Amino acid sequence: MAGEQLQVLNALDVAKTQLYHFTAIIITGMGFFTDAYDLFSISLVTKLLGRLYYYHPGSPKPGSLPPNVSSSVTGVALVGTLVGQLFFGWLGDKMGRKKVYGITLILMIVCSLASGLSFGSSPKAVMATLCFFRFWLGFGIGGDYPLSATIMSEYANKKTRGAFIAAVFAMQGFGILFSGIIALIVAGGFDHHYKAPTYEQDPVASTVPQADYIWRIILMFGALPAALTYYWRMKMPETARYTALVAKNAKRAAQDMAKVLQVELEAEEDKVQRLAQDKANAFGLFSWEFVRRHGLHLFGTTSTWFLLDIAFYSQNLFQKDVFSAIGWIPPAKTMNAVHEVHKIAKAQTLIALCSTVPGYWFTVAFIDIIGRFTIQLMGFFFMTVFMFAVAIPYHHWTEKSNRIGFVVMYSLTFFFANFGPNATTFVVPAEIFPARLRSTCHGISAAAGKAGAIVGAYGFLYAAQNQDRSKTDPGYPPGIGIKNSLIALGAINALGMVCTLCVPEPKGKSLEELSKENVGEDGAENVGA
């Protein structure tokens, strides 16, 4: 079986970095830009939704979403994302990356727009509509994870593959930043046009009726970047690895990549047939052979992504509560509804600009130099260190003179999440599994991550409540407090370091070498022609 590596795949592995690589990064990356915008923009408007729909006359505090409604609004998109990752990951290996890619994008566009609409005007009707469409929005977003990663990995050369996949994921940072900027612009415009007193001065007038448009505009804006990239996604050819190794169409693979690489490529139909008949490349996901070859790898990718997302989504979705607790965002009653949106958006934008976005691009710069394993281990280590540094002396950080120091420490945990496991957990599953199972295994790994995000989103909401019942948010039972919640997140990050030991290092190797698809029944590696 020696010498069976296909010429078209070898050409992709050794191709010089050129325009089509950057085009693929932008086209696939804009999906992640949209994903992040849609998932994280909800945290900017949940306080506003509470003021608009759950105000109780005579209350000393502005209205807030009841616990069950808040957790549903925040977490329902994550549930949809988990289901979408499993379903579209599997479908991407059955129907092809390109066909399924278009379906997910249409779903994201339609549901982004629909999220800003509502059937009826009662709180129950508005929240039910919002949750319904955000579930299906999450379902579409879920498909984007395995498909974007798989497409980019299968297009890239082996020298810079890590940087290209990480660059796609890094667009998530710009999506988070963009959501904050859009919220700042929208809130600023409404504040300029509709002057309102603070809640303390006039509880009713502090929330102008027109503020109902703010959350709708912010959520609906997520449809724009997705719509702008639809045409280009549909123009991309199917990846050669899917066409040749899964669809078994050597001629189409050679034709597609000859156009992309602008070189002459031979359609090696005999080699494709021999590879197809090789029993070593025929095992399924639920087989002992898969467990033997990739079982430990799948455990590594799923466990690390699960643990990472508990911490990452807890921090991202509830950073507004942390900032409120340390006084970086003023008490709600001292602001009107529009000012509160503006303050929360400003805090999220600053964190994204100073730590989230730089962290992603540090990964892009160094992932093919120091490797995925090292970056992931280092990221988990520093996340643990900084989380404990914030949590253990938490009372010290809440004092007014130390609040800037708290924000710096909190920001560093974000930086090392992104210059660390938040990027590498996305990259590695797209590299180490066979082509016919690559999208499925990435979807399983990503779904484990979203299970962690759901634990973080729902669990932290309750856990972070004050231990004193009189100081909890309305409707919430006492929790373990923010300090103990942050200590728990630090311990979770430490466990992530341990699970990282099960993740292999893919740096500098071809996808076929990593998945052992170039190993025949006799155990000999197939090399490039």
Side-chain angles (χ1 to χ4, degrees):
M1 291 291 294
E4 293 292 347
Q5 174 73 324
L6 294 171
Q7 183 190 25
V8 64
L9 305 187
N10 196 53
L12 283 166
D13 280 339
V14 300
K16 291 181 179 178
T17 301
Q18 50 194 278
L19 181 61
Y20 88 87
H21 287 121
F22 296 107
T23 304
I25 289 170
I26 292 168
I27 294 169
T28 54
M30 283 306 289
F32 262 85
F33 179 98
T34 306
D35 297 349
Y37 182 97
D38 289 332
L39 286 177
F40 293 108
S41 59
I42 193 67
S43 64
L44 300 169
V45 299
T46 49
K47 297 276 191 183
L48 176 61
L49 290 169
R51 284 189 184 238
L52 284 166
Y53 296 104
Y54 292 90
Y55 165 67
H56 300 290
S59 173
K61 292 181 180 180
S64 62
L65 296 177
N68 61 327
V69 176
S70 181
S71 57
S72 297
V73 167
T74 304
V76 71
L78 300 177
V79 176
T81 303
L82 187 155
V83 178
Q85 285 164 336
L86 292 172
F87 177 72
F88 286 116
W90 167 79
L91 201 62
D93 283 332
K94 296 299 179 186
M95 289 178 57
R97 294 40 163 147
K98 179 185 173 180
K99 286 180 183 176
V100 181
Y101 214 26
I103 297 169
T104 62
L105 204 61
I106 291 171
L107 202 54
M108 287 159 60
I109 294 167
V110 171
C111 292
S112 286
L113 293 172
S115 293
L117 306 174
S118 57
F119 303 137
S121 57
S122 69
K124 190 173 182 180
V126 174
M127 295 304 133
T129 304
L130 179 60
C131 288
F132 176 80
F133 286 116
R134 281 192 65 78
F135 173 84
W136 290 108
L137 173 64
F139 188 65
I141 288 171
D144 222 48
Y145 275 74
L147 293 167
S148 290
T150 301
I151 287 170
M152 196 65 246
S153 73
E154 293 181 346
Y155 263 109
N157 61 51
K158 63 183 179 182
K159 186 179 178 182
T160 56
R161 185 180 61 241
F164 289 160
I165 306 172
V168 170
F169 195 63
M171 296 297 284
Q172 189 178 74
F174 288 125
I176 296 170
L177 181 64
F178 190 65
S179 67
I181 292 170
I182 291 298
L184 284 172
I185 293 169
V186 173
F190 274 79
D191 184 50
H192 178 74
H193 199 270
Y194 302 102
K195 301 296 182 184
T198 66
Y199 187 85
E200 281 180 321
Q201 294 168 332
D202 188 337
V204 176
S206 70
T207 305
V208 295
Q210 292 82 1
D212 190 54
Y213 293 115
I214 293 176
W215 69 270
R216 299 174 188 275
I217 292 169
I218 291 170
L219 295 186
M220 293 172 82
F221 214 91
L224 184 62
L228 290 175
T229 54
Y230 180 77
Y231 171 77
W232 297 107
R233 279 198 183 189
M234 293 300 94
K235 291 263 291 182
M236 288 179 77
E238 181 59 86
T239 71
R241 285 181 161 92
Y242 180 85
T243 306
L245 299 177
V246 184
K248 309 291 190 297
N249 190 336
K251 187 176 180 182
R252 171 55 66 85
Q255 287 174 343
D256 286 345
M257 291 306 105
K259 289 179 184 176
V260 168
L261 297 171
Q262 297 181 331
V263 295
E264 289 292 326
L265 292 171
E266 183 185 347
E268 301 167 296
E269 295 180 4
D270 290 343
K271 282 188 180 180
V272 167
Q273 290 306 314
R274 284 201 295 275
L275 284 169
Q277 291 164 10
D278 187 350
K279 291 179 183 177
N281 292 328
F283 60 87
L285 181 66
F286 302 105
S287 66
W288 282 114
E289 184 64 16
F290 178 87
V291 172
R292 186 180 71 80
R293 289 198 193 189
H294 301 291
L296 191 63
H297 299 161
L298 189 60
F299 170 77
T301 58
T302 52
S303 60
T304 52
W305 208 337
F306 173 78
L307 295 166
L308 176 275
D309 270 10
I310 293 176
F312 184 75
Y313 276 82
S314 296
Q315 287 173 263
N316 252 312
L317 291 171
F318 301 106
Q319 62 184 351
K320 63 184 184 301
D321 299 309
V322 174
F323 290 144
S324 295
I326 63 153
W328 217 44
I329 295 175
K333 64 183 181 181
T334 65
M335 300 179 283
N336 63 42
V338 179
H339 279 163
E340 189 170 34
V341 174
H342 195 274
K343 288 283 187 183
I344 293 167
K346 184 179 178 182
Q348 178 165 308
T349 303
L350 284 171
I351 290 293
L353 193 61
C354 298
S355 63
T356 307
V357 172
Y360 281 119
W361 290 98
F362 264 72
T363 300
V364 174
F366 291 105
I367 193 167
D368 287 312
I369 299 171
I370 62 178
R372 290 72 157 152
F373 179 84
T374 304
I375 288 177
Q376 184 161 312
L377 201 64
M378 175 197 70
F380 270 128
F381 172 77
F382 282 111
M383 285 173 71
T384 306
V385 168
F386 288 116
M387 191 65 79
F388 283 142
V390 163
I392 294 169
Y394 182 71
H395 178 70
H396 167 79
W397 295 117
T398 58
E399 294 175 5
K400 194 167 185 178
S401 59
N402 301 322
R403 285 171 181 172
I404 295 300
F406 175 90
V407 173
V408 171
M409 299 287 279
Y410 193 69
S411 298
L412 283 168
T413 64
F414 274 104
F415 176 81
F416 282 105
N418 296 311
F419 183 31
N422 193 39
T424 54
T425 51
F426 175 80
V427 173
V428 174
E431 300 181 294
I432 60 176
F433 299 107
R436 67 187 181 284
L437 300 172
R438 186 169 292 135
S439 179
T440 302
C441 290
H442 193 285
I444 292 169
S445 303
K450 280 299 165 285
I454 292 164
V455 170
Y458 286 99
F460 191 83
L461 193 67
Y462 288 87
Q465 293 298 316
N466 201 293
Q467 291 171 298
D468 182 347
R469 182 178 291 276
S470 65
K471 295 180 181 178
T472 61
D473 291 336
Y476 286 85
I480 60 174
I482 289 180
K483 175 179 177 174
N484 291 329
S485 297
L486 293 175
I487 289 173
L489 293 178
I492 287 167
N493 291 331
L495 186 56
M497 278 193 288
V498 177
C499 292
T500 295
L501 300 175
C502 299
V503 178
E505 177 54 74
K507 179 169 75 85
K509 298 176 182 177
S510 75
L511 296 180
E512 287 67 48
E513 191 179 350
L514 288 162
S515 64
K516 294 185 167 54
E517 286 172 287
N518 62 343
V519 175
E521 291 179 78
D522 58 3
E525 281 204 8
N526 305 319
V527 294

